[in-house]
Amino acid sequence: MRPHEYDTDVAIIGYGPTGVAAANALGALGVTAVAFERETDIYRRARAVTVNDWTMRLFQSVGLDETVKADMDPTVALRWITYDGTELLHIPFPPGKLGHATSYAIYQPALEQSLRDGAARHGDKVRVRYGVEVTGVDQDAAGVTVNTRDLATGETATLRARYALACHGGEVRTRERLGISLVGSTVDVRWVVVDGKVKRWWPSRHILTFWSDKERPVVDIALGRDNHRWEFPLRPEETDADFATQESLWPLLESVGVSREDIDIHGHAFYSHHVRSADSWRLGERVFLLGDAAHLMPPWAGSGMQSGIRDAFNIAWKLAGVLEGTLPLSILDSYEAERRPNVDFYTEVSVQLGRVITQQLTEEEQAALAAQSDELPPLLWPPFYVAGWFTGPASPDSAVGKMIPQPRAATVNGLIGRLDDLLGDGFAVLGDGVDPTAVLSPDEKAAWDAVGARYLTVRQADQGTEGPDEIVDIDGTLLAWLREYDARVVVVRPDRFVAAADPSGLAVPA
């Protein structure tokens, strides 16, 4: 094969939640992909426990939100309590503004199966090679050569792609072969994670609970379907061997009020928490690191797996634009510029939640936390980016860099649905009661025309429509949001983040 011939557009190394998210995102955009996965089946132990409305909106963009919800339950609240029953903090989850519930309890194996089934819809555009490990990745100015070995037969092969996404998670051998090192620290505490099948309901089982204690803090969380999860730290004198059997786990469960009549234990495992990140999330020009291959965080914010999924969708629409020639090659630089600060934000939230759970807060910090009990905690803040492919600053008082709400909306002929489903999967220029093309300069419109943008006037539900290029905000949340930021016209990217707004300029980002 000559160097400039390709077997596929994108090679995906690893087919866990990040890799399969990338396959779905790329396939939906018409980008061909081949994924390589060492294992022949889904890892059957649940690890991640939640997804929120941002992640669900991503699943919606590939037509899988209703499918994955079938194995999920909305999370209604979060609380911190002590073993004597004292409630330190209780946070009801507010209604979601992104078109979905704020948070969902998941069962990860079921979620991954739904995502794999979703990727299979794309037929030969998205192919998966199970039982195959990647032994090397060589790149040049024109593309990437992926070297592989079939673990069953020993047969070796090569594949030529334009780009490669490293989604191999914590797989050490792949990391070493790619020359990736994760810099940071590992918390010097071992945790045992216990999963159970629910036999009967116990009080407040549906509330995500953190048992706060300096010696034995516990994560107590309902998973999707009829599963439940507890995470217990081992004390300094304890080892994995002390909890090798199910019988040895019952005293831990009984300490938080769970009995043999409540659940059947169906598995347990041991983990350590990491705070680590790669120096760069890009190797050369054509290989990108995603998910746990790029960053690791403690589990307290429920954002580890979700961050990998968001990485995948972020790079996918940018690669699609570059490959079809509508977006400049330089947009790929914005992947890490956008995603790293966001991952750092959730990592810090996770670390601070861990301090609350393990009762490491000072008296002053505890008082400050109690004083903020009526405020929306950072864990539930709407999605935002602080830098990246934007025109103008992504500042707190600007719509730029923030994800728009998703109300119920209607077309001019009365078709009612969620906003994203009516907008389509590309760029959209939205005007608050005004035709956005009348606000754009000729050069600005020509530039947005080049990326295939739609132009829509957004009307209030108590107004009529006047032309075909209009949409009605039935709930009023989008228009209220635009007015909060004094934005009359905004340009919305395929991922529903605002790329530009009239207060700071409507040019295509440089």
Side-chain angles (χ1 to χ4, degrees), residues 183-221:
V183 179
S185 61
T186 297
V187 180
D188 189 24
V189 177
R190 190 77 163 156
W191 290 73
V192 58
V193 178
V194 183
D195 288 337
K197 283 285 188 181
V198 176
K199 295 161 65 176
R200 70 177 186 182
W201 186 272
W202 57 89
S204 302
R205 175 194 168 252
H206 61 305
I207 297 177
L208 171 54
T209 299
F210 293 121
W211 297 81
S212 293
D213 186 74
K214 290 183 178 180
E215 289 191 3
R216 191 83 85 184
V218 182
V219 181
D220 179 342
I221 181 171

